[in-house]
Amino acid sequence: MSTPVLSLRDLVVEIPTRTGVLRPVNGVSFDIAAGEILGVVGESGAGKSMTGNAVIGLLDRPARIVSGEVRLLDQPIQSLRGEALRRLRGKRMGMIFQDPLTSLNPLLTIGDQLTETIREHLDVGQSEARERAIAALDEVGIPAARQRIGSYPHEFSGGMRQRVVIALALCAEPELVIADEPTTALDVSVQAQIIALLKRLCRDRGVAVMLVTHDMGVIAEAADRIAVMYAGGVVELGPVREVITRPFHPYTGGLMASTPGASKGMRRLRQIPGSMPRLDALPDGCPFHPRCERAEAACRENPGPSLAACDGRAACWFPLTEPKEAVS
Amino acid sequence: MLAYIIRRVAQSLLVLLVTGFVAFSMFSFVGDPIDNMLGQERTQADIDRLRGQLGLDQPFVVQYYRFLEQAVQGNFGLSYRQGRPVSDILMERLPATLELAFVSGFLALAGGIGLGIFTAIRKRGVSANAIMTVSLIGVSLPTFLIGIVLIYVFSVEMGLLPSFGRGEVVRIGGWTTGFLTESGLKALILPAITLGLYQMTLIMRLVRTEMLEVLRMDYIRFARARGIRERSVNFRHALKNTLVPVITITGLQLGSIIAFAIITETVFQWPGVGLLFINAIQFVDIPVMAAYLMMISVMFVGINLIVDLLYFAIDPRLRVDRTAAGGH
């Protein structure tokens, strides 16, 4: 396998507070290959968005990366700061935000915002940048791009704005795109279009996509692989079909059972009892054990095993399905 | 938009009519002008004759109409004290006030916006905090005290700058300017600082607050995520979004710079309309007071109108036809 576009190894993000140090991201590792969409799911506060922000270097102070590695192709970027980091953003990694209503500057035309970004990263003149901007809008499916390039964001609908946001994130042709809840703020009918667009761009351009969402339907539709996060760690990682049909980790199983339409047949949705622990009150042992039906003494006494210990698939002492190797 | 402009102009005219009424009422309430104009040895016949000549025997409404008719043409009658047309006296004095207001307005705007941005961007910096602390002095000290302190330090103790007057002026057509001589420029420094300091600190604090607000917006984050350089993020993306509230306040402040130049002009014996007004009050020179009142209200109303129209230039969202948007 060729070098992954994005590679995280044991990434730890800490927020020092008056009462102690919080770890919203605690030892996250995964790879994303070119042309692959990795879906990152989990409840609010699981560390999904924080991981994305850490990759692109947009952590709000005082949050910071304290250990681990972020590699973009072969380059470690976790310790880059200031100007060096800025050059990577937009050029080699783009980001798509949740709410297209607020992520475009209301006082600049979309053409201004596009050409500014293009000229920041590519050595082209104003007219060439404008042509590229039109092409970028065309590519994301804005009708009559040439006429609409002078329009302001408020003149577009929500779905169209999200297309503009995607065009902005991709206009300097980055290798990696972090899409942070790109469909959450959109109508359901528009969501499918945006997902289809992301998939097409990913396939056509060979971009690696980190798709952060809490929507299992979006993941099932778009992602090639899935990383399930809980309390700052990845608890399950695998090809999306396998994880959905045969989850290993009880948390993933709970997520699936509580998602309408994720499993076949009409039945009552199940809930996962309780809620995710606050970062300043993580239980000892596996962080999921207080909510887990399968928890035993080992779960309370030992922290969750690493993914690698469990066939690289799930971080659980008593997975729902025994890994193949473990059975023998 | 046209309907909006027409409505605003109509409102402005209404305001001017009301202030005109107040100005006119002064003539009736502050004694009978005939008493002032005729000497001790008047006869009832003299009084009646003059009353008829001046049109003071006409009904109130007719007199008010005449006053407005004359005022529109810039004719406010003769000054009781100097016996010359009030409009001539005002025009002689106006350049001094306008030059002072222009310079201190420019100081306030440039200094206020510049320092506001600086303190917002470096919000944790030592110098930014120092500026914020010092600005409290500007907000809380009364204008005349600042003027007197400046005179004491720079004129009395250090002997660097003149403490009163306008210095040498150059006459260009009907305009006298102090910009072209060294003594004129020197004389301008202390009054301009005195007059502009309060406005500057006010604008600075306003810009800072707005800027901090805008810098938290999603589109600023998105601009950073696209690798837009900091300078452009701060000055192109953020500053423009802070300008609407800043323009509102600044417009009103420019009006008050001209109106409240009275105090500064008194402290520095600056030969402008403010000083003229103070002297007019002492001598109950009602035509001068009325003309001054009208002039200031025209300026205020005019500036407000311009400010409202500037919104359209800055914020494209307002350019949508309001009636089409549902009339709210």
Side-chain angles (χ1 to χ4, degrees):
Chain A
M1 193 176 146
S2 59
T3 320
V5 174
L6 177 70
S7 175
L8 301 187
R9 285 293 169 270
D10 293 322
L11 183 70
V12 177
V13 173
E14 284 185 355
I15 305 176
T17 66
R18 233 168 266 172
T19 49
V21 175
L22 306 181
R23 285 195 168 182
V25 178
N26 193 359
V28 168
S29 305
F30 56 71
D31 294 334
I32 310 178
E36 184 187 42
I37 299 180
L38 175 75
V40 180
V41 283
E43 291 168 75
S44 311
K48 321 181 291 281
S49 297
M50 195 68 94
T51 307
N53 289 336
V55 169
I56 203 161
L58 279 179
L59 288 174
D60 291 316
R61 273 193 288 182
R64 63 196 175 94
I65 299 175
V66 290
S67 67
E69 193 177 50
V70 181
R71 293 182 87 90
L72 189 60
L73 288 175
D74 278 328
Q75 186 189 5
I77 59 169
Q78 72 277 0
S79 50
L80 289 183
R81 292 283 175 275
E83 187 66 8
L85 188 60
R86 183 187 67 72
R87 278 182 213 281
L88 289 186
R89 288 192 203 128
K91 175 76 183 115
R92 298 195 52 201
M93 45 189 181
M95 190 152 187
I96 298 166
F97 287 90
Q98 176 173 352
D99 190 352
L101 298 177
T102 56
S103 47
L104 295 171
N105 191 325
L107 303 188
L108 297 175
T109 67
I110 58 166
D112 283 344
Q113 300 185 47
L114 275 162
T115 48
E116 180 189 30
T117 312
I118 291 168
R119 296 198 64 186
E120 189 70 60
H121 297 296
L122 309 174
D123 186 22
V124 294
Q126 183 64 35
S127 57
E128 164 76 6
R130 196 181 133 85
E131 287 307 312
R132 278 175 185 256
I134 293 170
L137 289 175
D138 221 29
E139 196 180 359
V140 297
I142 302 279
R146 191 168 293 276
Q147 282 80 50
R148 304 223 60 185
I149 192 160
S151 305
Y152 288 93
H154 71 268
E155 298 171 80
F156 291 87
S157 68
M160 283 295 152
R161 280 191 224 186
Q162 194 62 307
R163 287 172 192 263
V164 173
V165 168
I166 293 173
L168 272 165
L170 288 169
C171 65
E173 303 184 343
E175 294 118 295
L176 169 72
V177 169
I178 299 165
D180 191 353
E181 307 265 6
T183 58
T184 308
L186 301 174
D187 288 345
V188 179
S189 56
V190 181
Q191 283 185 3
Q193 296 173 8
I194 295 297
I195 289 301
L197 172 66
L198 270 179
K199 280 176 80 170
R200 178 165 64 76
L201 290 169
C202 171
R203 192 181 60 230
D204 293 354
R205 292 206 188 175
V207 180
V209 178
M210 175 177 164
L211 177 62
V212 175
T213 179
H214 61 259
D215 186 338
M216 289 304 284
V218 168
I219 295 279
E221 176 64 32
D224 301 306
R225 287 192 306 137
I226 177 174
V228 182
M229 287 189 69
Y230 187 82
V234 175
V235 294
E236 182 151 8
L237 180 69
V240 72
R241 285 288 137 223
E242 284 182 32
V243 172
I244 286 180
T245 52
R246 239 165 35 99
F248 278 26
H249 198 285
Y251 177 64
T252 318
L255 267 189
M256 297 305 157
S258 62
T259 306
S263 50
K264 298 281 182 293
M266 291 289 289
R267 49 165 188 77
R268 270 184 80 84
L269 292 176
R270 286 198 13 237
Q271 309 175 18
I272 306 176
S275 58
M276 200 165 63
R278 288 163 34 141
L279 287 172
D280 57 358
L282 285 179
D284 293 332
C286 170
F288 186 60
H289 87 257
R291 303 171 68 188
C292 184
E293 295 167 347
R294 302 166 65 85
E296 294 184 18
C299 300
R300 284 182 282 276
E301 283 151 20
N302 308 305
S306 71
L307 284 176
C310 206
D311 204 17
R313 167 80 185 265
C316 182
W317 295 113
F318 306 105
L320 295 168
T321 312
E322 283 298 314
K324 273 164 277 171
E325 280 80 0
V327 174
S328 55
Chain B
M1 182 180 165
L2 187 67
Y4 176 74
I5 295 175
I6 292 172
R7 199 163 62 231
R8 285 295 286 114
V9 170
Q11 285 168 354
S12 307
L13 287 178
L14 190 68
V15 170
L16 287 181
L17 273 179
V18 173
T19 42
F21 182 74
V22 172
F24 173 70
S25 313
M26 285 200 299
F27 288 97
S28 323
F29 289 123
V30 191
D32 188 343
I34 303 287
D35 289 343
N36 292 320
M37 295 170 88
L38 294 176
Q40 291 287 327
E41 304 182 359
R42 62 192 176 213
T43 62
Q44 190 59 40
D46 287 339
I47 293 176
D48 289 343
R49 187 164 42 78
L50 189 60
R51 208 178 277 279
Q53 269 178 9
L54 294 175
L56 294 177
D57 53 349
Q58 303 284 325
F60 180 81
V61 180
V62 175
Q63 287 188 41
Y64 179 43
Y65 175 76
R66 285 234 185 112
F67 169 80
L68 287 180
E69 196 179 48
Q70 295 295 311
V72 167
Q73 295 164 26
N75 185 359
F76 290 92
L78 298 179
S79 158
Y80 291 166
R81 194 161 79 97
Q82 302 189 28
R84 294 196 297 139
V86 171
S87 50
D88 288 0
I89 301 175
L90 274 182
M91 288 321 284
E92 278 170 23
R93 295 293 200 100
L94 201 55
T97 296
L98 286 184
E99 281 187 357
L100 176 62
F102 174 79
V103 171
S104 48
F106 180 79
L107 272 181
L109 211 57
I113 292 181
L115 289 175
I117 294 171
F118 177 80
T119 49
I121 295 173
R122 302 272 164 80
K123 62 177 170 183
R124 291 189 187 87
V126 177
S127 47
N129 282 322
I131 291 171
M132 286 304 290
T133 311
V134 172
S135 78
L136 278 176
I137 299 173
V139 175
S140 46
L141 277 190
T143 310
F144 66 87
L145 190 61
I146 295 173
I148 290 168
V149 168
L150 286 178
I151 288 177
Y152 179 74
V153 173
F154 290 99
S155 307
V156 179
E157 288 297 317
M158 300 170 75
L160 287 177
L161 296 166
S163 61
F164 68 92
R166 221 187 147 194
E168 285 173 50
V169 292
V170 176
R171 177 171 282 280
I172 303 170
W175 188 277
T176 56
T177 179
F179 286 150
L180 298 175
T181 62
E182 201 195 325
S183 68
L185 286 173
K186 269 187 167 175
L188 198 55
I189 296 174
L190 291 186
I193 292 176
T194 307
L195 187 55
L197 195 65
Y198 174 75
Q199 325 288 345
M200 185 176 90
T201 47
L202 199 72
I203 292 173
M204 179 194 116
R205 290 179 153 258
L206 181 74
V207 168
R208 176 176 180 273
T209 312
E210 286 296 324
M211 188 90 176
L212 286 176
E213 187 77 21
V214 168
L215 284 175
R216 276 197 291 271
M217 297 301 230
D218 277 354
Y219 53 80
I220 295 300
R221 221 177 146 69
F222 188 38
R224 291 221 168 93
R226 298 202 302 275
I228 306 295
R229 49 193 75 217
E230 270 309 290
R231 193 191 312 153
S232 179
V233 168
N234 287 333
F235 290 94
R236 198 169 128 91
H237 288 262
L239 181 60
K240 208 174 173 193
N241 278 287
T242 65
L243 283 186
V244 166
V246 172
I247 284 180
T248 315
I249 299 294
T250 306
L252 293 175
Q253 293 306 316
L254 284 185
S256 41
I257 279 185
I258 296 172
F260 302 128
I262 295 175
I263 295 167
T264 307
E265 288 186 6
T266 310
V267 171
F268 287 94
Q269 289 297 301
W270 186 262
V273 285
L275 193 58
L276 179 74
F277 178 67
I278 288 288
N279 292 337
I281 290 177
Q282 280 163 3
F283 289 94
V284 201
D285 197 345
I286 293 169
V288 172
M289 287 155 66
Y292 179 81
L293 193 64
M294 287 311 291
M295 189 187 77
I296 293 297
S297 58
V298 166
M299 278 180 184
F300 256 98
V301 168
I303 287 171
N304 267 330
L305 195 59
I306 292 170
V307 163
D308 281 352
L309 297 182
L310 268 182
Y311 291 161
F312 287 97
I314 287 189
D315 195 337
R317 284 169 294 189
L318 292 174
R319 283 177 222 153
V320 197
D321 192 350
R322 284 178 170 222
T323 49
H328 50 85

